[in-house]
Amino acid sequence: MKLSEQQQAFTRDVARLILWVGDQGWGVTLGECFRTVDQQRRYVEQGKSRTMRSKHLERLAVDLNLFIAGTYQQRVEAYRPLGEFWKLLNPANRWGGDWPTLRDAVHFERV
C-alpha cells in the first residue's frame, strides 16, 4: 500500500475515534499530527522522544487531548478506553499508552 493510501486509512480511523469519543459524552481536541525532522530532532534532544523514526514524520500519528466533564485528562488510565477502541479499528493501529517506557497516552499511530 502506498504511503498516501496508508495516510488516508489512518485519517479515517482517527475520524472514527473522534466520533466514538463524542458518543461517550467526552470531548477531544487535536494535538500534533505532522512533525518536521528538525522538530523531531529537538524532541529527541529534549528527551520527549527516543526515536528519529516517529510516525508523526509520515503523518501516521496524531496526539489527541481528552476532556471528561470539561476537564483535560492527563492520566494514562483516562485514555485507556480510547486506546482499546483505537486498536480494535485496525490491527496496524498502536496506542502510546501501551508502551513500556515513555508512555504517551495522547498518542495514536498506524504502523
Side-chain angles (χ1 to χ4, degrees):
M1 182 184 294
K2 294 189 307 187
L3 178 58
S4 64
E5 293 169 335
Q6 291 175 13
Q7 291 166 331
Q8 290 170 48
F10 168 75
T11 301
R12 284 191 298 274
D13 279 355
V14 170
R16 289 180 184 107
L17 177 60
I18 290 169
L19 290 171
W20 181 85
V21 168
D23 289 345
Q24 309 315 301
W26 304 330
V28 68
T29 61
L30 295 174
E32 195 168 16
C33 183
F34 176 65
R35 192 177 290 166
T36 66
V37 172
D38 288 338
Q39 183 66 50
Q40 184 64 30
R41 187 174 294 112
R42 282 194 294 278
Y43 284 168
V44 170
E45 289 168 359
Q46 295 168 0
K48 294 179 180 179
S49 179
R50 293 187 179 166
T51 182
M52 283 303 297
R53 295 175 38 195
S54 170
K55 289 296 182 177
H56 286 284
L57 296 169
E58 300 175 71
R59 293 187 172 117
L60 291 173
V62 66
D63 295 335
L64 298 176
N65 306 301
L66 176 64
F67 294 81
I68 298 176
T71 301
Y72 173 60
Q73 302 298 304
Q74 298 181 10
R75 294 179 312 103
V76 170
E77 289 310 312
Y79 285 82
R80 186 160 305 283
L82 282 70
E84 296 304 320
F85 181 79
W86 175 248
K87 293 182 293 183
L88 289 174
L89 292 172
N90 189 295
N93 289 348
R94 284 196 319 186
W95 173 52
D98 287 334
W99 297 341
T101 59
L102 199 61
R103 292 170 78 191
D104 192 356
V106 304
H107 182 88
F108 302 84
E109 71 177 29
R110 166 93 35 113
V111 294

